[in-house]
Amino acid sequence: MTKYIGFDFGGTTIKPGVVNEKGEIIEKTAFPTPKSRDTLLDSLMKTIEDYQQRYQISAIGISSPGIVQSDGRLMTAGAITCLNGVNLKPILEKQTNLPVSIENDANAAAIAEHWIGAAQGVNDYLCLVLGTGVGGGIVINGQIYRGRHGMAGEFGWMVTKNFSLTENMENKSLNATSAVVDGLCLRYTKAKRQIKPRFRRVKDARIIFKAASDGDKLAQSMLEEFYHDLSVGLIDLMACFDPELILIGGGISASTEFADGLTTALSDMKTRHKSLYRIRTELDIPVIPAKLSNDAGLIGAVYQSFHK
């Protein structure tokens, strides 16, 4: 069976793997996201060469945060700032002699979920990927909606809280409040450092969930704010898109604590929105975890590599 190399780029971790044409992952690994472009490219090539020695590879697919142009150029690359403005497609195609496809990470996740995940048979849905930032994929009539510049779905840029005219608006965006690494984890770290200045930065939400279950009031408070802010964003998206379904992806989506906390907060928030509450029996938009969880970006990137 034909094999493909997939890369799921994240601001914290890059997850490569080998996937077949049925969407089955043959093997996968992960390594920290390099800070420099040269180091990142070297890491990609070493991974590709390793896989090529053991598999017959037909193409390479990449899932990346940020605004991806139709020619593969990364107008932005989210937290991977060393790739801003870089077009990886011709660079890797020249070095590997393989076709390369690059897709926005949330779009890739949405595509994967439609292929073999929780959105099979659904034509109008949204996919939020909660990771270092907040990514978004919009599917309308079974097709990814990209917008004029490929920017559609940058849900993390949405400003959902009051901000001061003296500050950067993005301090009150979903990226700052509802992402996992640069939202929940960073906010918890900053709050902890008010008490313990040398507190080590948290990058894994499981630490916060564990602290909350152990009675840490600060962790409990941070999680409540996290669910509240994410729920506000979800209600805005429901009002704007009226989708059949909203999927939540990213590693945190596999957590039952997260799913329960978000469900409770979203239900509470809906009762506080007069118009939505009035039509609650007619308007039922499920918000559920993505089936493929943390593998969706990898699988979607590979799907695009042989369906473009």
Side-chain angles (χ1 to χ4, degrees):
M1 187 177 291
T2 305
K3 306 293 191 303
Y4 303 86
I5 295 174
F7 288 96
D8 184 9
F9 287 5
T12 305
T13 306
I14 289 179
K15 297 182 285 290
V18 176
V19 183
N20 65 26
E21 58 193 18
K22 291 183 178 181
E24 299 167 337
I25 298 176
I26 308 304
E27 68 168 279
K28 62 179 179 177
T29 186
F31 56 85
T33 305
K35 299 299 182 184
S36 77
R37 181 174 64 180
D38 289 343
T39 303
L40 192 153
L41 289 173
D42 286 344
S43 298
L44 297 183
M45 284 307 304
K46 287 177 182 176
T47 302
I48 293 168
E49 290 166 1
D50 174 60
Y51 285 148
Q52 283 183 310
Q53 289 176 3
R54 295 182 286 118
Y55 300 98
Q56 186 67 38
I57 302 297
S58 296
I60 298 169
I62 295 174
S63 161
S64 172
I67 302 172
V68 182
Q69 301 294 282
S70 58
D71 64 356
R73 184 175 73 89
L74 298 170
M75 182 184 292
T76 66
I80 315 175
T81 55
C82 67
L83 291 182
N84 287 347
V86 176
N87 192 339
L88 284 179
K89 179 178 169 66
I91 295 173
L92 291 179
E93 286 183 337
K94 182 177 180 181
Q95 295 187 38
T96 65
N97 290 315
L98 290 172
V100 175
S101 174
I102 303 178
E103 180 61 89
N104 167 269
D105 56 355
N107 285 347
I111 289 164
E113 291 293 335
H114 193 268
W115 183 20
I116 58 172
Q120 294 179 72
V122 180
N123 287 320
D124 297 276
Y125 62 97
L126 305 177
C127 183
L128 274 74
V129 179
L130 308 182
T132 303
V134 178
I138 304 168
V139 177
I140 299 174
N141 295 326
Q143 300 293 320
I144 289 288
Y145 177 73
R146 302 177 186 279
R148 172 64 180 85
H149 304 94
M151 191 180 71
E154 285 292 339
F155 298 150
W157 288 1
M158 291 169 50
V159 178
T160 57
K161 304 184 80 168
N162 289 335
F163 66 94
S164 165
L165 295 179
T166 63
E167 67 178 323
N168 177 359
M169 288 177 67
E170 288 192 80
N171 290 342
K172 300 300 172 62
S173 69
L174 282 185
N175 277 336
T177 63
S178 305
V180 177
V181 179
D182 284 351
L184 173 63
C185 292
L186 182 57
R187 286 164 61 81
Y188 178 72
T189 299
K190 288 181 175 179
K192 271 289 191 182
R193 285 177 178 170
Q194 294 291 322
I195 306 166
K196 299 179 179 179
R198 295 186 179 182
F199 182 75
R200 187 175 182 179
R201 179 172 177 179
V202 173
K203 293 187 178 181
D204 188 334
R206 287 174 294 188
I207 294 172
I208 304 174
F209 283 115
K210 177 64 167 57
S213 67
D214 289 342
D216 182 334
K217 298 298 184 183
L218 179 60
Q220 293 170 358
S221 176
M222 289 291 102
L223 284 171
E224 286 180 7
E225 285 189 29
F226 172 65
Y227 295 135
H228 173 279
D229 294 334
L230 181 55
S231 295
V232 172
L234 288 171
I235 284 177
D236 285 348
L237 293 174
M238 289 178 184
C240 289
F241 291 99
D242 185 24
E244 297 176 59
L245 178 70
I246 297 179
L247 299 176
I248 307 292
I252 198 172
S253 66
S255 165
T256 55
E257 293 94 339
F258 166 76
D260 291 344
L262 179 60
T263 298
T264 299
L266 184 56
S267 177
D268 175 71
M269 205 61 60
K270 285 180 179 177
T271 66
R272 301 174 188 280
H273 193 295
K274 182 178 178 181
S275 294
L276 280 178
Y277 189 69
R278 187 172 61 247
I279 59 173
R280 64 190 181 280
T281 56
E282 289 82 13
L283 182 71
D284 179 23
I285 301 173
V287 178
I288 63 173
K291 179 180 178 180
L292 303 175
S293 188
N294 230 15
D295 292 329
L298 179 65
I299 294 170
V302 164
Y303 182 87
Q304 288 296 80
S305 73
F306 64 88
H307 279 78
K308 284 228 172 184

